[in-house]
Amino acid sequence: MLLNPAILALVLVSAVIGLMLLLASAFAIQLLREWDITSGSELQLRMERRTYLISTLLFWALSSELISLVLFVYNAESMSGQFVGAMCATGVLNVNMWGWPTLFLKIAIFFSGTIWLALNYLDNKGIDYPLVKIKYTLLLLMAPMVVAEFYLQLNYFLAMNPDVITSCCGSLFSVDAEGVAAEVSSLSPRQAVIALYGSGLVVMVSGSWTLIRKSGGVLFALASAGAFIGALVSIVSYLSLYIYEHPHHHCPFCILKSGHGYAGYALYIPLFLATSLSLAASVVSVWKGVPSLSRAVEVDLPKLAFSALVMFTIFYTLSAWVVWQSNLTMGSVWW
């Protein structure tokens, strides 16, 4: 399995990112111990120059996590034909015990990376680097996650056995099954619609407030987190049914297939980008009171809020469109 080009790329990217964060962590430890912006010593000047190099490397490394997350899901979907019982990425992730933890960890790293990049972007705009110790402390917390991701992902691919009979999405995302996926699948469409558009209304209002008043970034991020969960739940319990035009097919991965117009990518990518941009807005907004950053916050917070609202608008518009154009007509039954 390791000879698969996509798998080789994923393992290589993960290894490179892990190595870069370990090297950056060594620098972070030194910086946390000896950083003194008021000092003109050679060591301080050397550390200030290195922060630019480390920041540039980490920008590309953490940006690669987004591509890695998309490629990981795409690869799992494309390999579904190689395992008996697998109909989509669900079956491939079920091949061994490492699949789902790898996916969840990749998502966590993606959002953590977004927060770090926002901190780094803002810190570089302050002449006194007021956030430098905070962002490198966060980096030390992220490094074990990235190393763990490399370990889990490598074990996932090494433990893949084509002779294993795996379980399909129907056994996991079914109202008759047990577990969180089954509970989400059994949610009524009425509840799912309320969760989807109710949380959407809250996030649009809070985002507009942040955009216009240039404040409330934390509230916007909390609303976005709620909207993100509500959207994922609704995709399983409501939107997927209209995409498949089947009242009992709840899988959130089969919508990634070409037979469904790659609708999953059209929904997931703007949803993840919107959530990450709102997190970035919240990270930026809390430093408005720092004198050297106040002007940057004043300028950048509305930009981030606007970009997040655009992404949320795309997601909710597409969500409404997939229901409107579907041939499935179950409204009289569900409502």
Side-chain angles (χ1 to χ4, degrees), residues 162-184:
D163 296 328
V164 170
I165 300 176
T166 185
S167 54
C168 73
C169 52
S171 64
L172 188 63
F173 297 96
S174 169
V175 297
D176 299 324
E178 296 181 354
V180 176
E183 292 294 328
V184 174

mmCIF file of all heavy atoms in Angstrom, residues 162-184:
data_model
loop_
_atom_site.group_PDB
_atom_site.id
_atom_site.type_symbol
_atom_site.label_atom_id
_atom_site.label_comp_id
_atom_site.label_asym_id
_atom_site.label_seq_id
_atom_site.Cartn_x
_atom_site.Cartn_y
_atom_site.Cartn_z
ATOM 1 N N PRO A 162 -5.476 -6.053 2.394
ATOM 2 C CA PRO A 162 -6.559 -6.210 1.401
ATOM 3 C C PRO A 162 -7.444 -7.425 1.665
ATOM 4 O O PRO A 162 -8.553 -7.498 1.126
ATOM 5 C CB PRO A 162 -5.792 -6.379 0.078
ATOM 6 C CG PRO A 162 -4.441 -5.825 0.336
ATOM 7 C CD PRO A 162 -4.147 -6.082 1.782
ATOM 8 N N ASP A 163 -6.970 -8.368 2.466
ATOM 9 C CA ASP A 163 -7.774 -9.567 2.742
ATOM 10 C C ASP A 163 -8.814 -9.326 3.839
ATOM 11 O O ASP A 163 -9.678 -10.177 4.073
ATOM 12 C CB ASP A 163 -6.859 -10.717 3.159
ATOM 13 C CG ASP A 163 -5.922 -11.123 2.016
ATOM 14 O OD1 ASP A 163 -6.340 -10.996 0.857
ATOM 15 O OD2 ASP A 163 -4.786 -11.525 2.315
ATOM 16 N N VAL A 164 -8.701 -8.192 4.518
ATOM 17 C CA VAL A 164 -9.654 -7.894 5.592
ATOM 18 C C VAL A 164 -11.013 -7.527 4.992
ATOM 19 O O VAL A 164 -11.097 -6.743 4.043
ATOM 20 C CB VAL A 164 -9.131 -6.738 6.463
ATOM 21 C CG1 VAL A 164 -10.210 -6.252 7.429
ATOM 22 C CG2 VAL A 164 -7.907 -7.175 7.231
ATOM 23 N N ILE A 165 -12.061 -8.097 5.535
ATOM 24 C CA ILE A 165 -13.416 -7.729 5.118
ATOM 25 C C ILE A 165 -13.886 -6.618 6.060
ATOM 26 O O ILE A 165 -14.088 -6.835 7.254
ATOM 27 C CB ILE A 165 -14.378 -8.934 5.194
ATOM 28 C CG1 ILE A 165 -13.885 -10.041 4.268
ATOM 29 C CG2 ILE A 165 -15.792 -8.514 4.825
ATOM 30 C CD1 ILE A 165 -14.714 -11.316 4.350
ATOM 31 N N THR A 166 -14.016 -5.436 5.511
ATOM 32 C CA THR A 166 -14.377 -4.280 6.336
ATOM 33 C C THR A 166 -15.885 -4.032 6.293
ATOM 34 O O THR A 166 -16.618 -4.695 5.556
ATOM 35 C CB THR A 166 -13.608 -3.029 5.850
ATOM 36 O OG1 THR A 166 -13.883 -1.952 6.727
ATOM 37 C CG2 THR A 166 -14.036 -2.654 4.437
ATOM 38 N N SER A 167 -16.345 -3.075 7.077
ATOM 39 C CA SER A 167 -17.777 -2.775 7.129
ATOM 40 C C SER A 167 -18.074 -1.518 6.319
ATOM 41 O O SER A 167 -17.269 -0.586 6.290
ATOM 42 C CB SER A 167 -18.225 -2.564 8.578
ATOM 43 O OG SER A 167 -17.431 -1.583 9.204
ATOM 44 N N CYS A 168 -19.217 -1.476 5.679
ATOM 45 C CA CYS A 168 -19.563 -0.334 4.836
ATOM 46 C C CYS A 168 -20.247 0.740 5.676
ATOM 47 O O CYS A 168 -20.543 0.554 6.858
ATOM 48 C CB CYS A 168 -20.456 -0.759 3.679
ATOM 49 S SG CYS A 168 -22.137 -1.145 4.180
ATOM 50 N N CYS A 169 -20.535 1.862 5.013
ATOM 51 C CA CYS A 169 -21.146 2.986 5.715
ATOM 52 C C CYS A 169 -22.542 2.645 6.237
ATOM 53 O O CYS A 169 -22.999 3.230 7.220
ATOM 54 C CB CYS A 169 -21.213 4.193 4.786
ATOM 55 S SG CYS A 169 -21.976 3.848 3.173
ATOM 56 N N GLY A 170 -23.213 1.715 5.577
ATOM 57 C CA GLY A 170 -24.574 1.365 5.985
ATOM 58 C C GLY A 170 -24.647 0.788 7.381
ATOM 59 O O GLY A 170 -25.670 0.918 8.061
ATOM 60 N N SER A 171 -23.564 0.131 7.824
ATOM 61 C CA SER A 171 -23.571 -0.455 9.159
ATOM 62 C C SER A 171 -23.227 0.554 10.246
ATOM 63 O O SER A 171 -23.455 0.295 11.427
ATOM 64 C CB SER A 171 -22.565 -1.618 9.215
ATOM 65 O OG SER A 171 -21.245 -1.131 9.004
ATOM 66 N N LEU A 172 -22.643 1.679 9.854
ATOM 67 C CA LEU A 172 -22.242 2.695 10.834
ATOM 68 C C LEU A 172 -23.255 3.836 10.909
ATOM 69 O O LEU A 172 -23.709 4.201 11.995
ATOM 70 C CB LEU A 172 -20.860 3.246 10.462
ATOM 71 C CG LEU A 172 -20.193 4.171 11.470
ATOM 72 C CD1 LEU A 172 -19.924 3.445 12.775
ATOM 73 C CD2 LEU A 172 -18.867 4.698 10.897
ATOM 74 N N PHE A 173 -23.612 4.379 9.724
ATOM 75 C CA PHE A 173 -24.565 5.499 9.684
ATOM 76 C C PHE A 173 -25.960 4.953 9.411
ATOM 77 O O PHE A 173 -26.520 5.117 8.318
ATOM 78 C CB PHE A 173 -24.142 6.508 8.614
ATOM 79 C CG PHE A 173 -22.819 7.149 8.887
ATOM 80 C CD1 PHE A 173 -21.667 6.644 8.310
ATOM 81 C CD2 PHE A 173 -22.719 8.225 9.749
ATOM 82 C CE1 PHE A 173 -20.434 7.220 8.566
ATOM 83 C CE2 PHE A 173 -21.495 8.808 10.020
ATOM 84 C CZ PHE A 173 -20.344 8.304 9.426
ATOM 85 N N SER A 174 -26.484 4.266 10.401
ATOM 86 C CA SER A 174 -27.797 3.659 10.288
ATOM 87 C C SER A 174 -28.565 3.870 11.588
ATOM 88 O O SER A 174 -27.986 3.832 12.675
ATOM 89 C CB SER A 174 -27.661 2.154 10.001
ATOM 90 O OG SER A 174 -28.902 1.514 10.128
ATOM 91 N N VAL A 175 -29.853 4.096 11.477
ATOM 92 C CA VAL A 175 -30.668 4.324 12.679
ATOM 93 C C VAL A 175 -30.761 3.071 13.540
ATOM 94 O O VAL A 175 -31.096 3.147 14.729
ATOM 95 C CB VAL A 175 -32.074 4.814 12.296
ATOM 96 C CG1 VAL A 175 -32.009 6.157 11.596
ATOM 97 C CG2 VAL A 175 -32.771 3.795 11.389
ATOM 98 N N ASP A 176 -30.472 1.912 12.950
ATOM 99 C CA ASP A 176 -30.557 0.657 13.697
ATOM 100 C C ASP A 176 -29.242 0.287 14.383
ATOM 101 O O ASP A 176 -29.205 -0.673 15.154
ATOM 102 C CB ASP A 176 -30.970 -0.479 12.753
ATOM 103 C CG ASP A 176 -32.327 -0.219 12.125
ATOM 104 O OD1 ASP A 176 -33.189 0.356 12.824
ATOM 105 O OD2 ASP A 176 -32.522 -0.581 10.949
ATOM 106 N N ALA A 177 -28.173 1.015 14.083
ATOM 107 C CA ALA A 177 -26.868 0.699 14.669
ATOM 108 C C ALA A 177 -26.720 1.379 16.032
ATOM 109 O O ALA A 177 -27.646 2.010 16.539
ATOM 110 C CB ALA A 177 -25.763 1.146 13.712
ATOM 111 N N GLU A 178 -25.532 1.227 16.627
ATOM 112 C CA GLU A 178 -25.239 1.845 17.913
ATOM 113 C C GLU A 178 -24.048 2.785 17.764
ATOM 114 O O GLU A 178 -23.199 2.598 16.897
ATOM 115 C CB GLU A 178 -24.932 0.780 18.969
ATOM 116 C CG GLU A 178 -26.113 -0.135 19.287
ATOM 117 C CD GLU A 178 -25.776 -1.160 20.362
ATOM 118 O OE1 GLU A 178 -24.588 -1.213 20.757
ATOM 119 O OE2 GLU A 178 -26.673 -1.890 20.773
ATOM 120 N N GLY A 179 -23.986 3.775 18.634
ATOM 121 C CA GLY A 179 -22.877 4.710 18.603
ATOM 122 C C GLY A 179 -23.317 6.110 18.210
ATOM 123 O O GLY A 179 -24.489 6.370 17.933
ATOM 124 N N VAL A 180 -22.318 7.026 18.186
ATOM 125 C CA VAL A 180 -22.603 8.431 17.893
ATOM 126 C C VAL A 180 -23.134 8.595 16.476
ATOM 127 O O VAL A 180 -24.090 9.352 16.239
ATOM 128 C CB VAL A 180 -21.321 9.268 18.085
ATOM 129 C CG1 VAL A 180 -21.575 10.723 17.692
ATOM 130 C CG2 VAL A 180 -20.851 9.196 19.524
ATOM 131 N N ALA A 181 -22.516 7.897 15.511
ATOM 132 C CA ALA A 181 -22.947 8.020 14.115
ATOM 133 C C ALA A 181 -24.407 7.611 13.958
ATOM 134 O O ALA A 181 -25.166 8.251 13.220
ATOM 135 C CB ALA A 181 -22.058 7.167 13.222
ATOM 136 N N ALA A 182 -24.799 6.541 14.657
ATOM 137 C CA ALA A 182 -26.188 6.083 14.572
ATOM 138 C C ALA A 182 -27.134 7.091 15.216
ATOM 139 O O ALA A 182 -28.237 7.335 14.716
ATOM 140 C CB ALA A 182 -26.317 4.721 15.250
ATOM 141 N N GLU A 183 -26.708 7.680 16.337
ATOM 142 C CA GLU A 183 -27.542 8.681 16.999
ATOM 143 C C GLU A 183 -27.758 9.899 16.095
ATOM 144 O O GLU A 183 -28.872 10.437 16.019
ATOM 145 C CB GLU A 183 -26.875 9.130 18.311
ATOM 146 C CG GLU A 183 -26.821 8.056 19.387
ATOM 147 C CD GLU A 183 -28.217 7.666 19.888
ATOM 148 O OE1 GLU A 183 -29.090 8.532 19.894
ATOM 149 O OE2 GLU A 183 -28.405 6.493 20.251
ATOM 150 N N VAL A 184 -26.680 10.317 15.424
ATOM 151 C CA VAL A 184 -26.807 11.455 14.506
ATOM 152 C C VAL A 184 -27.708 11.091 13.325
ATOM 153 O O VAL A 184 -28.544 11.889 12.887
ATOM 154 C CB VAL A 184 -25.411 11.885 14.013
ATOM 155 C CG1 VAL A 184 -25.534 12.961 12.938
ATOM 156 C CG2 VAL A 184 -24.582 12.411 15.176
#
